[in-house]
Amino acid sequence: QPLPHQPTGVPDLPPWVAEALGPLPVGVCLAGSDGAILWANPALCELVGSSIDDLVGQRLTEVVHPADRAAVHDSVSSLGQDGDPARRLRVRGRPAGTWLDLALTRAPLQGAGTGVLMHVVDVTWAVQAQGSLQVLSENALDIVAMTDTDGTVLWVSPSIRTVLGRDPESVVGR
């Protein structure tokens, strides 16, 4: 029997799909090995501004920004081969004509044929905040640096030249 939010003409999917993934507040979809969307939850439909009936049957490459189509294709075709399940892609969003930055994580679909499970989260705010922080940092009179958990400097603002007389490149990696 068809699942809730499953259009007619779509292969039957296990009942747990809609029960477990349907109510999640993040976007989720199941796609075949060819990249065709087999099922999507309401949160994903809202993120990309499409109905379930419009999404199902489309290839994942059809719902992403044209510049990211090759990355989506490679992500699906390399599943299980590259050891890196996470991909960040720019995907169609709402309202029409706008683009959202979405963090996309994919995993192989096991036990239900071949395919992929996609988990999609809107990270537009984080991308915008990072850009604002970089602009602020590059124009600050103080030194601003980003480090990893071990304290290694990953990035330092150009103001280090004015404050300490050092090039940022001489500090990064230390």
Side-chain angles (χ1 to χ4, degrees), residues 31-34 38 109 112-116:
S33 58
D34 62 352
L38 303 173
L109 189 58
T114 59
V116 62

Side-chain angles (χ1 to χ4, degrees), residues 10-11 13 16-17 21 28-41 44 52 55-63 72-73 75-77 79 104-110 112-120:
V10 173
L13 298 171
W16 65 264
V17 171
L21 305 177
V28 178
C29 76
L30 301 175
S33 58
D34 62 352
I37 297 172
L38 303 173
W39 180 87
N41 73 344
L44 182 63
I52 183 72
L55 278 179
V56 169
Q58 285 192 56
R59 302 265 185 269
L60 292 166
T61 54
E62 295 170 7
V63 297
V72 171
H73 179 269
S75 178
V76 172
S77 63
L79 191 60
L104 173 73
T105 305
R106 88 280 199 268
L109 189 58
Q110 299 176 356
T114 59
V116 62
L117 171 68
M118 298 272 184
H119 173 264
V120 184

Side-chain angles (χ1 to χ4, degrees), residues 30-170:
L30 301 175
S33 58
D34 62 352
I37 297 172
L38 303 173
W39 180 87
N41 73 344
L44 182 63
C45 294
E46 186 174 333
L47 275 174
V48 300
S50 293
S51 70
I52 183 72
D53 290 318
D54 288 339
L55 278 179
V56 169
Q58 285 192 56
R59 302 265 185 269
L60 292 166
T61 54
E62 295 170 7
V63 297
V64 299
H65 190 278
D68 291 324
R69 290 183 178 157
V72 171
H73 179 269
D74 293 347
S75 178
V76 172
S77 63
S78 69
L79 191 60
Q81 300 170 15
D82 61 6
D84 179 14
R87 290 285 188 264
R88 185 150 128 205
L89 304 172
R90 192 168 174 184
V91 181
R92 180 177 62 184
R94 288 185 74 169
T98 64
W99 295 93
L100 298 175
D101 287 296
L102 301 178
L104 173 73
T105 305
R106 88 280 199 268
L109 189 58
Q110 299 176 356
T114 59
V116 62
L117 171 68
M118 298 272 184
H119 173 264
V120 184
V121 178
D122 184 356
V123 295
T124 304
W125 64 271
V127 171
Q128 291 170 346
Q130 183 179 11
S132 297
L133 177 62
Q134 186 166 351
V135 169
L136 176 67
S137 299
E138 288 173 353
N139 294 295
L141 297 177
D142 296 324
I143 298 170
V144 179
M146 181 173 49
T147 65
D148 63 15
T149 56
D150 296 324
T152 303
V153 177
L154 302 174
W155 180 87
V156 65
S157 62
S159 61
I160 196 168
R161 283 188 186 98
T162 305
V163 177
L164 296 179
R166 298 189 64 182
D167 285 330
E169 297 80 23
S170 70

Side-chain angles (χ1 to χ4, degrees), residues 1-22:
Q1 71 182 20
L3 298 173
H5 308 294
Q6 181 177 341
T8 56
V10 173
D12 288 340
L13 298 171
W16 65 264
V17 171
E19 293 168 6
L21 305 177

